[in-house]
Amino acid sequence: MAFVDRLGEILSEGGQGGIILTSIDALADWSRGKSLWAMPMGTACCAMELIAASFAKFDFDRHGSFPRPDPRHTDVMVVAGTITRKMAPAVKRLYEQMPEPKWVIAMGNCAVSGGIFFYDSYSVIRGVDEFLPVDVYIAGCPPRPESLQDAVLRLRELISTESIAPGVKHERTLSLPRSGDVSFGVRPGSAEEGDAE
Amino acid sequence: MNITELRDHLCEQHPDLCPLFSIEFGDGVLSVSCDKLYEAASGLRDLGFDRLGMATAVDRGETFEVVYRLTSRSMSVGIFLKCHVPRDAPKTNSLFPLWPAALWQEREIFDMFGIDFEGHPDMRRILLPDDWVGHPLRRDYTDDRMIRRPDYI
Amino acid sequence: MTLEVESRKETLAEDGLPVEELVVNVGPSHPSTHGVCRVIVHLDGEIVTRAEPVIGYLHRGIEKMCENRTYLQVVPLTDRLDYVGSMYANWAYCRAVERLAGIRVPERAEYLRVIVCEMQRIASHMMSLGSAAADTGAATMFIYAFDERETIVELFEDLCGARLTYNYVRPGGVSFDIPEGWTDRLLEFCRTHRVALREMDKLWFGNVIARGRMKGIGVLAADDAVAWGASGPVARGSGVNWDLRKHDPYSVYPRFDFDIPTGSAGDVYDRARVRLYECYESCRIIEQAVAQMPGGPIKAEGLQRLIAPRPGDAYDHIESARGSLGVYIVSEGGPRPHRVKFRSPAFCNLALLPLIAEGHMLSDLVVCLGSLDPVFGEVDR
Ligand code: SF4
């Protein structure tokens, strides 16, 4: 295993984090959060709003989120639409092809819980969380494109607490220093440090 | 052409089909027995019904009712062709040789009701996965993942 | 541009090269299958010898769900069928219910239905043309076309509050009357849309690459179109002059003056042109409908919340953006339908894919598929 892959593990040895780990985390989270390339897993009606979100009026790209229909280039899978029992294996396989770290946004009631197809349907999966770890849920049938943008911002918040060390989670949002900031990053749990944001 | 003209035209050309013709909700309906289905259909095709618009089936308890809707471009009129197949031996003739449009539509009927069409070149499931058990549009279909909606009204 | 598969095989065999068949799986998640369609393609080199669509990845069992809903509760489900053109399924279903239950619709509601459906036709064709253009490599066209669609979606939002699943046409009428100033914005849209259409015409149909990608590709003979039950722009592109609005007129369509554009060659190019010209015609219909629209109620009077028609079955169909969309309802009395069947045009049109894709290059397969304009909510139901 490459050194880089074990970096988090090495740095976190002997306690929770450390100033180097926190700084690296801040950089990693910043870069990950600002360029969330999306795998548009649009299957049904919600896919229309997914397309609308990335076009002129709503301009998804300004969040650094760019739809790439290739799982190997993407960080976040946006499941937009109904997933049926016939489709689920394909979705799962696409998810498995995405490189780590990866996140999932469940867009629309169908992806959240089965939505309108909850009752009486014999073929619909009631929510993608039956087989995928979902990070952000967006309700709506279909959700407006604005909610998708909100979901990306929420996801960015979530990412900013993550660490490259296994099992470590920062309690506060990490952010990179701006010019004029004295402290570099925020050590988790240290009260005297000012919030860099 | 309106529906009464169609009846007169049909009775003139095919006197044997005439007594089977009726009018329901403004639509012409031709109910035949299933072994006569193919014959009646080819008769209608020669009459000018050149499009097979819809093919479906309805669960009627003891029997399945197979319903075809044919339309004629030259006469601007539509007609239903219906026959009943028994539930325990659901089998009838395919209309694929007359209208290729039946290819997928009859496959769908097979998928949803389990009715077998003789003479169909490709009788497989179409919408559901191949390993699916049962035929969901039968009224008595259940599976353990289905949740019935509570009766609010 | 069609390459003869057999003759090519012979030349290869003459050179002593073995001819092996290659099977490629396209989909179910593929950017240019317009949804969740899987096509199993048999290739000889790069030539498609057989293309077999595998559908059902979006089969949600809507027809089964209808059996346990009241007549009114089915309307939202019809939205989810053809999600690029929700109004059509609403309307087709409502017409069938009205026929079954003998409901008379006020005239103003009929006009409103015509207006929204013609707007929906423009929106749907914009989506279809845009994504078909993206398949041929013209991504700019997609963005322009989607912009046009966005305007219509905003108008719909002002009308009924939803951007995509409108639930606007209900049995007995429509749900809301038009808000103030809405018709002016609609007419303004019709005016600017014509300009945009001309621009798109030049941008895409005038482009030599796009022409090369579309002309002579996916040729469908008129006889085949009729025999395979094709309808809508797919049939009309082959020169089959069959449009329910003209040839089996429903609602108030006989009062409008409009033409049915048809193609002649039956290739991808002609199908796309038919769609483009239909947008002009839709603008014409909208303008006439707005001018003629009478006042009055928008819902049938004395309508019960629980419709329970007498036993029987009714079929009704309308011309959707994809072809003749029919709804067949069987009632056995009682407040719930016994069986609802949606005859979806996209399903019948998609069955033609093996026919039109054979003998073309693999890269033309997506162009052929795009020209059939399938919407998988409707194909799979
Ligand atoms: S949540 Fe609603 S709009 Fe989205 S896919 Fe499901 S039914 Fe369609």
Side-chain angles (χ1 to χ4, degrees), chain C residues 138-360:
Chain C
T140 329
M141 165 84 183
F142 197 1
I143 292 171
Y144 282 4
F146 214 86
D147 231 25
E148 294 295 305
R149 182 182 178 275
E150 198 65 41
T151 318
I152 295 184
V153 168
E154 271 165 27
L155 283 169
F156 278 152
E157 194 183 351
D158 286 354
L159 184 62
C160 57
R163 278 173 56 87
L164 198 63
T165 45
Y166 310 111
N167 194 6
Y168 180 66
V169 183
R170 312 264 175 94
V174 295
S175 58
F176 300 103
D177 209 338
I178 44 180
E180 216 174 294
W182 193 81
T183 37
D184 298 336
R185 284 168 59 204
L186 178 59
L187 294 176
E188 171 68 16
F189 167 76
C190 286
R191 205 177 54 72
T192 54
H193 184 59
R194 289 206 176 93
V195 182
L197 281 176
R198 270 197 288 282
E199 215 167 77
M200 279 183 237
D201 196 351
K202 258 193 262 164
L203 177 69
W204 189 37
F205 291 100
N207 185 309
V208 64
I209 300 173
R211 279 161 169 271
R213 291 285 319 259
M214 292 191 291
K215 282 218 161 164
I217 302 292
V219 178
L220 174 66
D223 294 349
D224 282 341
V226 175
W228 283 81
S231 50
V234 175
R236 288 198 284 277
S238 301
V240 181
N241 192 354
W242 176 250
D243 188 317
L244 294 176
R245 290 176 293 172
K246 262 274 199 282
H247 299 109
D248 189 4
Y250 55 94
S251 188
V252 288
Y253 274 111
R255 300 184 197 172
F256 305 128
D257 170 34
F258 62 100
D259 299 320
I260 307 296
T262 51
S264 53
D267 53 2
V268 175
Y269 184 82
D270 273 18
R271 289 196 273 279
R273 294 254 358 140
V274 165
R275 294 202 175 97
L276 187 86
Y277 287 135
E278 275 187 8
C279 293
Y280 285 109
E281 297 303 322
S282 290
C283 286
R284 269 175 77 190
I285 297 175
I286 291 173
E287 279 163 358
Q288 292 172 47
V290 168
Q292 293 178 13
M293 186 156 57
I298 54 157
K299 281 178 200 150
E301 260 165 47
L303 198 62
Q304 270 145 6
R305 196 158 279 199
L306 217 56
I307 305 170
R310 62 209 152 104
D313 50 357
Y315 178 87
D316 216 318
H317 52 191
I318 63 166
E319 182 75 23
S320 90
R322 265 154 279 284
S324 46
L325 168 67
V327 177
Y328 177 62
I329 303 182
V330 180
S331 154
E332 295 214 324
R336 297 188 180 88
H338 182 74
R339 167 107 171 88
V340 180
K341 155 85 184 168
F342 296 96
R343 185 266 179 211
S344 71
F347 180 82
C348 299
N349 292 352
L350 190 65
L352 285 162
L353 181 68
L355 212 68
I356 65 169
E358 200 184 301
H360 292 296

Side-chain angles (χ1 to χ4, degrees), chain A residues 57 86 121-123 144, chain C residues 55 59-60 154 157 163:
Chain A
K57 193 176 164 208
K86 193 170 179 179
S121 176
Y122 45 88
S123 61
R144 297 180 59 87
Chain C
I55 59 171
H59 177 63
R60 307 188 268 200
E154 271 165 27
E157 194 183 351
R163 278 173 56 87

Side-chain angles (χ1 to χ4, degrees), chain B residues 24-25 51 53 56-57 59-60 69 76 80 82 101 105 108 124 126-127 136 138-139 149 153, chain C residues 52 55-56 59 64 68-70 73 99 227-228 230 240 247 313 315 332 336 338-339 343 348 381:
Chain B
E24 278 177 34
F25 289 97
R51 282 168 52 96
T56 186
D59 187 345
R60 296 283 193 186
R69 187 184 158 86
S76 282
F80 282 110
K82 296 182 179 177
Q105 306 215 20
E108 191 196 329
R124 283 179 296 140
I126 183 166
L127 292 175
R138 293 186 175 188
R139 293 291 290 203
R149 182 168 163 279
I153 57 120
Chain C
E52 188 196 340
I55 59 171
H59 177 63
K64 181 83 180 172
N68 203 19
R69 300 279 195 284
T70 63
Q73 285 166 346
R99 176 179 279 228
W228 283 81
V240 181
H247 299 109
D313 50 357
Y315 178 87
E332 295 214 324
R336 297 188 180 88
H338 182 74
R339 167 107 171 88
R343 185 266 179 211
C348 299
R381 280 152 287 150

Side-chain angles (χ1 to χ4, degrees), chain B residues 24-84:
Chain B
E24 278 177 34
F25 289 97
D27 268 319
V29 178
L30 195 63
S31 306
V32 293
S33 76
C34 273
D35 37 332
K36 295 266 164 51
L37 179 73
Y38 190 88
E39 253 169 66
S42 52
L44 286 175
R45 197 182 71 154
D46 297 340
L47 214 60
F49 286 91
D50 49 358
R51 282 168 52 96
L52 173 68
M54 175 191 78
T56 186
V58 182
D59 187 345
R60 296 283 193 186
E62 290 292 293
T63 55
F64 293 122
E65 188 178 12
V66 181
V67 183
Y68 291 97
R69 187 184 158 86
L70 311 171
T71 38
S72 159
R73 282 188 304 142
S74 51
M75 295 187 283
S76 282
V77 74
I79 191 171
F80 282 110
L81 185 62
K82 296 182 179 177
C83 83
H84 284 267

Side-chain angles (χ1 to χ4, degrees), chain B residues 92-94 96-97 117-122:
Chain B
T92 174
N93 281 328
S94 168
F96 173 72
F117 288 90
E118 265 172 66
H120 188 284
D122 189 18

Side-chain angles (χ1 to χ4, degrees), chain A residues 29-38 63-66 75 156:
Chain A
D29 292 349
W30 170 77
S31 53
R32 281 172 185 170
K34 292 280 162 83
S35 71
L36 283 168
W37 282 21
H63 299 290
S65 216
F66 181 65
D75 311 291
R156 196 181 282 171

Side-chain angles (χ1 to χ4, degrees), chain C residues 35-49:
Chain C
V36 281
C37 174
R38 181 173 158 211
V39 189
I40 299 173
V41 198
H42 295 250
L43 292 173
D44 162 33
E46 238 190 291
I47 316 288
V48 177
T49 53

